[in-house]
Amino acid sequence: MEGRGEVGEEDEEEEAGGVLRITPQLLKASTGEFALESILLLRLRGRGIAHLGCLGDCTSLEWLDLSGNAITQLGPLAALKSLAVLNLSRNRVTSLEPLGSCHNLQSLNVAGNLLSSLQQLRCLTGLRRLESLRLRDPLARLANPLCAAPAYRAALADMFPGLKAIDGERVSGRGSELYQLCRDLDSSLGRGSGGGNAGAGAEPPRVAQPWVEAGFWEPRPPRRSSIMEEAYKQFGEVLQECRELSRRADDTIAQAERALNSRPDPNSYVF
């Protein structure tokens, strides 16, 4: 009981000083787990958290969302060896050094922080499983100062050849070929338009033509084998016979109803 009172007083002092720290009580209340090492998934978005406190005790943590807080230091995260997905967007982080120990990390979102140089990302080059890295989120209007560099995405791709997605866009794996093709086309069209305006005797711009012939994207009727053709034919014949039988049955029923309606009242018969 005395221990609980001391923790409560410490929490009050931290809140009074304007610094909210992650405590065992906060973690247990958020997850319902009694043991910190049993927590696998943790979401603490927009809590005003400034200090990670005892978060390093959640040694089994695999998915962590700390977006929308006031975090500056990531020291306790170095102990999270099982962490695979980490969202630190919209914080005040200036160094990612502790994340270099999170060897299982696969997806990292640090959009909306204070990272000012690509050199600050060198600490992540040893993360062999890292596939997705987000430093900028246009939809949420989040970025880092280093994103102002014109070729930062290309530099990231060279620094992390294993990445499959940068800022939410595919750069390798399924779909990367189409992305690369579109980027090359944009570049070539940009150079072409610039060169055309530079020369005095340049040819007038041509009307854009479709890349493929009309109807190319329309689904084509599937080819049927001779067996399937014969099966469809027989099915059609059977269906026609069924319709003819149904018509005859309707005629027979109608005739029977007319015959019954034309009979005299049975009560009029004399026995």
Side-chain angles (χ1 to χ4, degrees), residues 7 10 12 19 21 36 49 86-88 106 176 195 198 221 265:
V7 172
E10 181 181 355
E12 290 178 0
V19 177
R21 175 190 299 263
L36 299 186
I49 296 170
L86 175 60
N87 186 352
L88 285 168
Q106 301 174 26
S176 61
D265 186 359

Side-chain angles (χ1 to χ4, degrees), residues 192-200 202 205:
S193 61
N197 294 332

Side-chain angles (χ1 to χ4, degrees), residues 64-270:
L64 176 60
D65 186 352
L66 291 170
S67 58
N69 287 289
I71 299 167
T72 57
Q73 303 295 327
L74 305 179
L77 298 185
L80 306 182
K81 308 300 182 182
S82 299
L83 191 63
V85 178
L86 175 60
N87 186 352
L88 285 168
S89 62
R90 207 190 298 270
N91 276 281
R92 303 173 186 173
V93 176
T94 57
S95 173
L96 301 177
E97 287 289 342
L99 300 184
S101 301
C102 301
H103 298 296
N104 199 47
L105 195 62
Q106 301 174 26
S107 177
L108 174 62
N109 184 351
V110 288
N113 280 277
L114 303 176
L115 302 173
S116 57
S117 170
L118 287 172
Q119 296 301 320
Q120 294 174 298
L121 304 178
R122 291 287 180 185
C123 59
L124 304 179
T125 54
L127 302 181
R128 303 303 181 188
R129 296 188 178 184
L130 188 62
E131 297 182 350
S132 176
L133 177 59
R134 183 183 284 275
L135 295 167
R136 179 173 176 267
D137 188 345
L139 295 179
R141 298 182 180 180
L142 298 176
N144 282 271
L146 66 85
C147 299
Y152 89 93
R153 284 176 51 83
L156 278 180
D158 293 337
M159 188 183 300
F160 300 95
L163 285 180
K164 295 183 179 180
I166 296 177
D167 295 343
E169 296 182 355
R170 302 284 292 187
V171 294
S172 67
R174 184 176 182 180
S176 61
E177 294 83 1
L178 178 60
Y179 170 77
Q180 184 65 38
L181 174 62
C182 293
R183 188 168 64 174
D184 293 344
L185 283 171
D186 289 341
S187 300
S188 61
L189 290 175
R191 289 194 298 269
S193 61
N197 294 332
E203 299 180 0
R206 298 180 180 180
V207 178
Q209 299 295 327
W211 293 356
V212 296
E213 298 178 358
F216 180 84
W217 298 110
E218 296 180 2
R220 300 178 181 179
R223 297 181 60 183
R224 297 175 180 174
S225 63
S226 57
I227 297 177
M228 291 297 297
E229 290 288 352
E230 182 62 24
Y232 273 102
K233 180 180 178 182
Q234 294 182 10
F235 178 77
E237 293 175 352
V238 171
L239 183 60
Q240 185 62 31
E241 292 179 2
C242 291
R243 289 174 177 170
E244 181 63 23
L245 289 174
S246 177
R247 186 186 64 79
R248 293 180 182 178
D250 289 340
D251 293 342
T252 302
I253 292 173
Q255 293 177 4
E257 289 178 346
R258 288 195 296 270
L260 290 174
N261 292 333
S262 63
R263 291 180 58 182
D265 186 359
N267 295 329
S268 63
Y269 292 157
V270 178

